[in-house]
Amino acid sequence: GATYITTMKVINTRETLEIPAGVEVTVKARVVTVKGKRGQLTKSFKHLPVDVYVKDGAVHVDKWFGERLQIAAVRTVKSHIANLITGVTRGYRYYLKYVYAHFPINVSISEKDTLVEIRNFIGQKVVFTIPMHEGCVCKRSGEKDEIYVEGNDIEKVSLSAARIQQSTTVKNKDIRKFLDGIYVSKKTFIEEEE
C-alpha cells in the first residue's frame, strides 16, 4: 500500500509491488523490463514524474512532493508494471464473438495467425483486413463463431481485439437495429494460475 505523510503537500507517495518467483524486473532510467517464462516486455515511464526502482524483491514507485494528479501517476505506473508481470507469466487472451442476423460473417486467419480477414459482413463484398499487433496472434477457439486474440502485452492484445471489433462497425444504419459485428466477449489469461 501507499504511505502518506500529510502536510500541505504529500511529501512522499510510494506504491510497492512484490515480484513473483520466476520473474526478473530491471529498471534503467524509468524504463522497466520484465522477464518471465513467457518472454520479455519493456515499457517506458519517462513521461511520468516518478521514481521506479527494484529493492528487496519488490518494485517501488515513488513520488516526492506530489500534487494530486501526479500522485495518481504512482498508482498508474504500479498497475502497468503489474500488467507486464502478468503478461510474461500468464499472458492475455481476449475472446471475440461474431453476431449476425442474416449474413454469416466469414473470418479467415492467415500469415501464421497474424492477419485476420473478414468477409460477407452484412453481405458486403468488401474484405476487411486486420493485421495483429506485434507479438499477438488470432486463433479460432473451437466454439462456433468465436475467435481469440492472445499475447503477452495487454495493450497490444486489447488494441488488436479493438481493431477487429471496430472493423465491423455498421456505417449509416441504425446501430440499435443492426447489431451485426464481432465483439469482445470476455478477457482471460492464456495460462491459468498455478
Side-chain angles (χ1 to χ4, degrees):
T3 4
Y4 298 109
I5 305 151
T6 47
T7 42
M8 289 290 290
K9 260 181 170 180
V10 176
I11 302 210
N12 176 10
T13 311
R14 172 176 297 165
E15 287 280 353
T16 304
L17 186 65
E18 291 292 317
I19 301 172
V23 174
E24 185 191 320
V25 179
T26 49
V27 183
K28 197 175 167 195
R30 292 208 292 252
V31 175
V32 177
T33 301
V34 180
K35 287 184 188 150
K37 61 176 181 185
R38 297 188 52 81
Q40 171 177 326
L41 291 172
T42 301
K43 193 164 174 64
S44 166
F45 297 105
K46 282 191 193 302
H47 58 292
L48 290 168
V50 295
D51 290 333
V52 186
Y53 57 95
V54 175
K55 188 177 155 200
D56 303 329
V59 185
H60 303 274
V61 184
D62 275 17
K63 174 74 193 123
W64 292 87
F65 307 115
E67 302 288 356
R68 240 182 80 214
L69 198 67
Q70 294 171 327
I71 290 167
V74 173
R75 188 152 274 165
T76 304
V77 171
K78 178 188 176 179
S79 47
H80 278 307
I81 297 171
N83 286 343
L84 298 178
I85 291 172
T86 305
V88 299
T89 51
R90 300 178 66 194
Y92 290 96
R93 180 180 287 165
Y94 281 28
Y95 285 86
L96 297 104
K97 277 217 167 290
Y98 321 163
V99 175
Y100 49 85
H102 188 65
F103 296 100
I105 298 172
N106 178 310
V107 175
S108 55
I109 304 168
S110 59
E111 306 289 325
K112 296 194 176 113
D113 300 334
T114 61
L115 190 71
V116 177
E117 289 176 319
I118 299 168
R119 291 182 173 78
N120 200 32
F121 175 62
I122 344 190
Q124 294 173 349
K125 292 276 173 276
V126 57
V127 177
F128 299 102
T129 306
I130 305 114
M132 296 293 93
H133 280 269
E134 187 195 353
C136 296
V137 293
C138 183
K139 298 183 175 189
R140 296 181 191 285
S141 72
E143 295 287 313
K144 183 181 183 310
D145 296 335
E146 187 181 66
I147 51 178
Y148 62 79
V149 176
E150 66 178 25
N152 295 348
D153 186 331
I154 190 171
E155 291 183 17
K156 290 182 177 161
V157 172
S158 99
L159 282 168
S160 298
R163 268 185 185 176
I164 296 174
Q165 184 167 321
Q166 283 161 1
S167 70
T168 59
T169 314
V170 179
K171 312 273 188 307
N172 318 329
K173 289 195 174 69
D174 181 352
I175 58 166
R176 287 168 305 187
K177 203 160 146 238
F178 286 87
L179 294 172
D180 289 38
I182 301 183
Y183 299 97
V184 174
S185 57
K186 63 178 181 213
K187 301 175 180 182
T188 60
F189 304 99
I190 300 174
E191 301 183 28
E192 289 315 312
E193 273 193 292
E194 282 152 28

